[in-house]
Amino acid sequence: MSEEQTMESAVATQSSPTDTVAETTTEQPQTNLLNEGATIASAEKDWLNDISEEFRSTPSISNAKNINDIAKQVVNLEKVLGKPKVSLPQENWQESDWNEFYNKTGRPETIDGYDLSYNSEHIKFEDSDKNKLAESFYKAGLSQQQASAVFTSIAEREANLSQSVEDKFIANETNAREVLQKEWGDDFETNLKLSNAALNKLLPNDVAEQVQERYGNDPNLIQLLANAGKSLMDDTEFKGTLQSSSWTSPVAAKSELDQLRSDPVFTSQLTNKTDPGHKFALEKWTELHRVAAS
């Protein structure tokens, strides 16, 4: 065989590169994120195959993503079942049913179990008032927390009203003092004592006390009484009593005490032992209390 024939035979027995690749290459599946998501979803649902078919359609089962969701539901259910059971009120409930409900929802065992406290310098609840409120709270089935909230609301309202009345009283007293001081000048104290004396002379003690309480800061009434007192100066008994004591009645003494309490000059004299007017202020204060208590 010639050299040329040998070469042709060798070429003929070799496969083409294309044929070789076609024969040796194995086809690989194409992957992407969407396919991966489908694979995950399929894997998450595999656990459902282990659950009986009659339970699979139950929302709590079918909506669960995995077995851990079912476990969480079981744990939460155990917590709920472990708590005390309280029935919701019904229209046909008897008193015993309501009492059982109130006791389970926090009502104290007795009325004395309520703690009704409120600190305020403007108001003070008497024990009898607190007991009445506690009785109402108990009948209504209120817990301690609910009773405290209601009591605080009541106390705050009373405190605000008390403060408002006190502020109004002080404002009226200040206004009356300014008006009368401007009107009487240096005769202010003399006319004031005269008006108190006239009040006690003209009216019975119980009526005088009511007038004093309701209209004690009315400058017009005080002026009227002062003028009435001046007209009584011809009465020897009235004049002598007025001269011997500026405070002829408990009403007048109480009125003077109320005025002195708001007088910063007198308060300073009374409390400061080194003040030159301390002795006089103390004697006046003591005498006023004696007369007011009589």
Side-chain angles (χ1 to χ4, degrees):
M1 181 181 292
S2 66
E3 183 179 350
E4 182 179 351
Q5 289 175 332
T6 301
M7 292 181 63
E8 289 177 356
S9 177
V11 171
T13 59
Q14 291 178 357
S15 299
S16 66
T18 303
D19 293 339
T20 302
V21 172
E23 294 176 358
T24 60
T25 302
T26 302
E27 185 176 355
Q28 298 293 330
Q30 294 182 352
T31 61
N32 56 48
L33 291 179
L34 290 178
N35 288 337
E36 183 179 343
T39 301
I40 295 173
S42 177
E44 289 180 342
K45 290 296 182 180
D46 285 345
W47 61 271
L48 285 173
N49 296 328
D50 297 329
I51 296 179
S52 177
E53 187 174 353
E54 62 178 310
F55 301 127
R56 291 179 190 175
S57 59
T58 304
S60 60
I61 302 298
S62 61
N63 293 334
K65 294 181 180 180
N66 50 53
I67 194 64
N68 286 330
D69 285 353
I70 302 298
K72 290 179 182 178
Q73 293 181 39
V74 173
V75 172
N76 291 334
L77 182 59
E78 288 179 344
K79 292 180 179 179
V80 173
L81 293 176
K83 294 180 179 179
K85 300 177 181 61
V86 179
S87 300
L88 295 178
Q90 304 296 322
E91 293 183 0
N92 61 346
W93 269 15
Q94 303 299 318
E95 183 178 355
S96 59
D97 298 316
W98 281 108
N99 284 330
E100 182 180 358
F101 174 77
Y102 293 148
N103 293 337
K104 286 184 177 180
T105 54
R107 184 179 70 173
E109 294 183 1
T110 65
I111 295 176
D112 296 334
Y114 287 112
D115 179 17
L116 304 180
S117 57
Y118 183 81
N119 296 323
S120 173
E121 59 182 17
H122 301 293
I123 61 170
K124 179 181 179 181
F125 285 90
E126 300 294 336
D127 290 339
S128 58
D129 295 330
K130 288 185 178 182
N131 289 336
K132 290 180 180 179
L133 287 173
E135 289 178 1
S136 299
F137 295 160
Y138 189 84
K139 290 179 180 179
L142 301 189
S143 65
Q144 172 61 51
Q145 183 179 10
Q146 293 169 327
S148 294
V150 174
F151 181 71
T152 298
S153 178
I154 295 174
E156 288 178 349
R157 180 178 181 276
E158 292 296 323
N160 291 335
L161 288 175
S162 177
Q163 182 62 47
S164 177
V165 171
E166 182 178 346
D167 291 343
K168 185 176 181 180
F169 179 85
I170 294 175
N172 289 341
E173 181 182 0
T174 301
N175 177 70
R177 184 180 295 275
E178 291 177 352
V179 170
L180 294 176
Q181 283 180 334
K182 182 178 180 180
E183 177 72 19
W184 289 336
D186 294 338
D187 294 330
F188 172 77
E189 289 190 5
T190 300
N191 288 336
L192 197 61
K193 295 171 184 176
L194 190 61
S195 66
N196 288 330
L199 176 67
N200 182 65
K201 176 68 175 179
L202 298 173
L203 298 175
N205 286 342
D206 56 340
V207 178
E209 288 182 1
Q210 294 179 14
V211 172
Q212 171 64 36
E213 181 178 350
R214 295 185 180 183
Y215 309 108
N217 287 321
D218 186 340
N220 294 324
L221 175 63
I222 296 174
Q223 284 181 315
L224 179 64
L225 288 171
N227 292 333
K230 291 177 183 178
S231 65
L232 291 171
M233 291 300 291
D234 292 336
D235 185 325
T236 304
E237 181 180 356
F238 176 79
K239 184 176 181 179
T241 302
L242 182 65
Q243 291 177 343
S244 62
S245 175
S246 300
W247 313 288
T248 58
S249 71
V251 174
K254 291 176 182 178
S255 175
E256 186 75 2
L257 283 170
D258 289 338
Q259 293 167 0
L260 291 176
R261 287 190 182 96
S262 60
D263 187 340
V265 176
F266 180 84
T267 301
S268 176
Q269 292 175 338
L270 182 64
T271 56
N272 186 2
K273 295 182 179 181
T274 61
D275 191 293
H278 174 70
K279 182 178 180 181
F280 169 78
L282 182 60
E283 291 177 352
K284 184 175 183 179
W285 187 255
T286 301
E287 178 63 13
L288 278 171
H289 276 282
R290 184 192 67 77
V291 175
S294 63

